[in-house]
Amino acid sequence: MDEVSSFLLSVIESSDDAIIGLNKQGDIVSCNPATEKTYGYSGKELIGEQITKLSLPDRIKEISLILLRTFNGERVAHFQTILLRKNGTTIPVSLSISPVTDKHDLIVGASFIARDLSRHFTFEKTLRETERRYQQLKSSLELAHEVQETLLPSINNMTFPELDVYAKTLYSEDVGGDYFDFYYPETVSRNILGIAVGDVSGHGTSAALLMAMVKGALQTEAEHSQDNLEKIMDRLNKFFSRHAENGLLMTLFLGVVDVRLRSIKWCSAGQGPVYIYHTNGQCFEELSCTGSPLGALDEMKNECQSSKFREGDILIVGTDGIWEALSPAGEMFSVERFRQLLATWHQKSSKEICTRMLARVKQFTAQDKLYDDTSLMIIKFPVVIN
Amino acid sequence: MNLQIEDKGAAVLLAINEERLDAHNSGELKNQMLKLFEEGKNNLVVDLQAVRFVDSSGLGALVSGFKNASSRNGNLKLSGLQLQVKSMFELTRLHRVFEIYTDSAEALASFQQ
């Protein structure tokens, strides 16, 4: 045997496909080890037999017809059918059958190559199953997204016409851990608005569940403790520490805006920076944190702080999704850029400031999907008040 | 995550050789610390000298390590905080929770006293 022939033989011997040589009568004259392995016959058992030995009884005609075409010089490729193993089990295959010629170009037989498709079909089945599960998960997440949207209060239902309030959360996934809320400690005074902006570390479903729990707890606590922010924060911290997995934190800003006194008091569990933009002096006042994020310590004392505002001043509470947003080059959006834009837009309505800022962050990242949940609450203080 | 772990006797030194400690790699740090706790190594120094930025997930991982160490009568101390990282700890008031040292040698020495 020359070198080329022995090389070709080695290719055939090592192939995973069953490669069978047929004479013009359709008898098997040679087969490779893959044939023996796949169909369960030894070479001896196959050689001399008709190729239809591997056909299903009701498909014998199919192979015979293909062979007729082959012996007329036609090549049949990727013909999908089912063959039969010695043990009676079936196997899906893709057949490639080509004429074999002698040195005078006369057709003397055929090469019969059967590729086992069972693994391919199992793969396709798994793929379809995975796809189905993904769709299921996706629709339940979409539903969860709708539910979470209803947890965030509707700005249109605000009962504070003296304040220009707007807030928006963009989730990086269908659901997330950012949160904003309003509450009304009405037994204290009708001129008081309670606000909350928070961020559960990480994002996605677990953060969303915690966010929903905190919302429930906050609304209940606010009902009991009214405008006693220290007490509300202390209870929320205990609640969060008890329920959140070790290592999950939630930053939370709680504020109470008194429209009549033109004051704001706040407790901030690691949420920041939070600002009041003083329109008159065109400067930012930072409302400092009063404690660590919820979940960091089992016992945490927050000491309430307070400040005053004037007509036209703006309270700005955002989450780190804004200033920690990354550009494709790895640059951070930064607090400086955030402040610069706020100062530029300070005469615009709260809705416009909010919408523009979130759009700017999205544009900065140049991604369809945000990397982190991103929220912003803007409150412009009373323009007219009696 | 590029994390170098070295047993220094009195404490284990974890040097984080990453520019960012964030949602992408903080899970791994958390797992590595858990592994050490399971081996009974409850005194840790996390050296943040190479780290320029820590996000809330990163803080969460460190807090989780601190809580685990404390509950096992150990401690987790920090060293080598860059200015930006330090201000993140100050902003969130977590600098009051952790013992923070200028460098890892100082933090390790504090365990020997």
Side-chain angles (χ1 to χ4, degrees), chain A residues 58-254:
Chain A
D58 59 338
R59 291 201 178 197
I60 287 179
K61 234 178 163 181
E62 185 181 78
I63 302 277
S64 309
L65 283 172
I66 294 175
L67 283 179
L68 265 179
R69 282 161 61 192
T70 312
F71 295 141
N72 280 324
E74 200 182 318
R75 193 172 172 269
V76 175
H78 312 303
F79 179 78
Q80 292 198 4
T81 184
I82 297 168
L83 293 180
L84 191 63
R85 291 194 183 94
K86 186 180 179 180
N87 65 10
T89 58
T90 56
I91 174 169
V93 292
S94 164
L95 293 182
S96 294
I97 306 176
S98 320
V100 174
T101 54
D102 64 8
K103 57 183 174 187
H104 309 293
D105 273 346
L106 288 171
I107 295 171
V108 291
S111 75
F112 182 101
I113 303 174
R115 168 158 294 178
D116 179 357
L117 292 182
S118 45
R119 252 194 294 177
H120 173 77
F121 283 136
T122 320
F123 175 70
E124 264 201 353
K125 201 178 151 203
T126 317
L127 192 70
R128 271 198 302 273
E129 180 62 16
T130 311
E131 244 174 35
R132 193 184 61 79
R133 276 195 220 147
Y134 171 74
Q135 287 302 339
Q136 233 171 22
L137 195 67
K138 194 162 171 270
S139 49
S140 70
L141 273 176
E142 278 162 6
L143 187 67
H145 173 75
E146 281 171 35
V147 173
Q148 190 163 37
E149 290 273 279
T150 64
L151 289 179
L152 298 176
S154 158
I155 306 293
N156 300 332
N157 298 338
M158 289 284 304
T159 57
F160 268 85
E162 308 94 328
L163 296 174
D164 173 17
V165 180
Y166 197 79
K168 179 86 187 154
T169 290
L170 299 177
Y171 289 114
S172 74
E173 293 172 30
D174 283 310
V175 290
D178 266 19
Y179 165 63
F180 69 85
D181 212 349
F182 303 109
Y183 62 98
Y184 307 94
E186 282 184 346
T187 57
V188 183
S189 157
R190 285 204 164 272
N191 299 299
I192 285 184
L193 172 68
I195 58 168
V197 176
D199 176 4
V200 178
S201 61
H203 39 84
T205 321
S206 59
L209 289 172
L210 279 168
M211 168 261 161
M213 282 199 332
V214 168
K215 180 192 167 88
L218 171 65
Q219 291 289 348
T220 315
E221 281 308 325
E223 191 84 13
H224 290 299
S225 310
Q226 293 293 313
D227 65 340
N228 186 344
L229 295 179
E230 284 135 348
K231 201 167 158 193
I232 298 175
M233 201 59 114
D234 179 47
R235 296 249 174 113
L236 286 179
N237 181 51
K238 289 202 169 92
F239 177 83
F240 193 88
S241 300
R242 215 171 33 242
H243 290 97
E245 178 200 333
N246 190 357
L248 274 179
L249 302 175
M250 180 178 190
T251 57
L252 181 65
F253 178 89
L254 292 181

Side-chain angles (χ1 to χ4, degrees), chain A residues 246-247 289 292 295 324 332, chain B residues 24 30 53 60 67 91-93:
Chain A
N246 190 357
C289 290
S292 292
E324 289 178 7
M332 277 212 258
Chain B
H24 284 118
K30 221 168 121 179
F53 171 75
K67 282 179 150 184
L91 175 82
T92 53
R93 301 275 168 136

Side-chain angles (χ1 to χ4, degrees), chain B residues 6-20:
Chain B
E6 226 177 311
D7 195 337
K8 297 281 193 182
V12 175
L13 175 65
L14 294 100
I16 298 174
N17 298 318
E18 296 277 350
E19 279 209 352
R20 293 172 62 93

Side-chain angles (χ1 to χ4, degrees), chain B residues 2-109:
Chain B
N2 192 341
L3 178 69
Q4 206 178 321
I5 303 177
E6 226 177 311
D7 195 337
K8 297 281 193 182
V12 175
L13 175 65
L14 294 100
I16 298 174
N17 298 318
E18 296 277 350
E19 279 209 352
R20 293 172 62 93
L21 178 60
D22 58 19
H24 284 118
N25 54 17
S26 55
E28 205 182 323
L29 173 66
K30 221 168 121 179
N31 289 339
Q32 288 291 350
M33 290 191 291
L34 280 177
K35 231 194 244 170
L36 291 170
F37 294 135
E38 275 164 24
E39 292 167 16
K41 290 167 183 159
N42 303 328
N43 286 327
L44 310 182
V45 171
V46 177
D47 186 45
L48 296 169
Q49 205 188 329
V51 179
R52 285 180 48 214
F53 171 75
V54 178
D55 78 351
S56 56
S57 304
L59 289 178
L62 293 171
V63 167
S64 147
F66 173 79
K67 282 179 150 184
N68 275 320
S70 307
S71 70
R72 292 167 161 85
N73 293 322
N75 202 345
L76 183 153
K77 303 182 183 186
L78 301 174
S79 64
L81 272 63
Q82 292 193 23
L83 210 63
Q84 203 186 338
V85 175
K86 202 172 163 203
S87 57
M88 181 74 172
F89 275 84
E90 281 165 1
L91 175 82
T92 53
R93 301 275 168 136
L94 286 170
H95 63 300
R96 295 176 178 182
V97 175
F98 293 97
E99 279 182 45
I100 299 173
Y101 293 87
T102 322
D103 56 44
S104 58
E106 217 178 279
L108 287 165

Side-chain angles (χ1 to χ4, degrees), chain A residues 354-367:
Chain A
C354 198
T355 314
R356 277 177 183 236
M357 187 64 78
L358 294 177
R360 191 58 80 92
V361 172
K362 259 194 133 169
Q363 188 192 352
F364 183 80
T365 63
Q367 304 278 338

